[in-house]
Amino acid sequence: MTTKRNTNYNYPISNYFAYDQTTPNYQCYLEKFSHLTEPQTFKEDVEDSRWIEAMKQEVKALEDNNTGKVVDLPVRKNVIGSKWVYKIKFKADGDIDRFKARLVANGYSQREGLDYHDTFSPVEKMVIVRTVIALAASRG
C-alpha cells in the first residue's frame, strides 16, 4: 500500500501536540492515521484503485436507491455541479475500515427561491431513533 504525506499544512499538529509525551502504544495508534491522507481533487484519487472502487460503490448505491433520474434541464434553470468528497474510515483500533467516497452537490451555486425552496431535509439514523425511543421509555 502506497502512502502520501502532505507537508503543506498551515497548522501542523506537531506545533500543538508532542508525541514524546504519549505512551508507546498510543504513538503506534496515532502513526496509523498519519500515513494516509484523503485526496483533495479528482486528479489525485484516480491514481488509486481504492478510491476508484469507493466511487463505483457510491454510484451503485445511488442507482440502487433510485436517488435521481436524468431529465432535460428546464428553461431558465441552472445546472448545479457536483464534486467527490473522500474520507478514510478507521476502526477503533486504528486499522482502516474502508475508503468512502460521496458525490455531493455544489449547493453554494444555488439561489433561494429559484433553484430551491426547502432548506431542511431530515435524515435519521437508527441509532438516533433507538436513543429517542429509549429516552421516551425511560421517562414514561
Side-chain angles (χ1 to χ4, degrees), residues 118-124:
D118 297 327
T119 59
F120 177 73
S121 298
V123 177
E124 74 285 338

Side-chain angles (χ1 to χ4, degrees), residues 9-136:
Y9 294 117
N10 290 331
Y11 305 100
I13 195 168
S14 59
N15 290 354
Y16 308 98
F17 181 80
Y19 289 103
D20 58 347
Q21 296 177 0
T22 62
T23 65
N25 284 342
Y26 193 65
Q27 288 176 12
C28 291
Y29 177 76
L30 291 174
E31 181 69 18
K32 291 182 179 184
F33 294 104
S34 62
H35 284 296
L36 295 172
T37 58
E38 287 109 5
Q40 300 300 312
T41 65
F42 183 77
K43 189 176 183 179
E44 288 177 8
D45 74 314
V46 295
E47 299 170 355
D48 192 330
S49 61
R50 298 171 297 191
W51 292 115
I52 293 170
E53 183 59 33
M55 288 187 292
K56 286 179 181 178
Q57 289 175 2
E58 172 70 358
V59 170
K60 183 176 181 335
L62 292 172
E63 290 171 346
D64 290 348
N65 294 325
N66 296 317
T67 302
K69 59 183 176 180
V70 178
V71 297
D72 291 332
L73 183 66
V75 178
R76 288 182 282 169
K77 296 293 180 179
N78 297 327
V79 174
I80 298 169
S82 61
K83 69 176 189 172
W84 288 99
V85 177
Y86 308 98
K87 196 73 181 161
I88 300 172
K89 298 293 185 173
F90 293 95
K91 296 178 184 176
D93 64 359
D95 290 337
I96 295 172
D97 184 27
R98 65 189 171 118
F99 289 78
K100 185 174 183 177
R102 286 281 184 235
L103 185 62
V104 297
N106 293 339
Y108 56 81
S109 65
Q110 295 177 298
R111 291 178 291 187
E112 185 176 4
L114 181 63
D115 297 318
Y116 72 93
H117 299 286
D118 297 327
T119 59
F120 177 73
S121 298
V123 177
E124 74 285 338
K125 292 184 176 183
M126 282 309 294
V127 68
I128 301 297
V129 173
R130 288 186 197 116
T131 303
V132 170
I133 291 171
L135 284 170

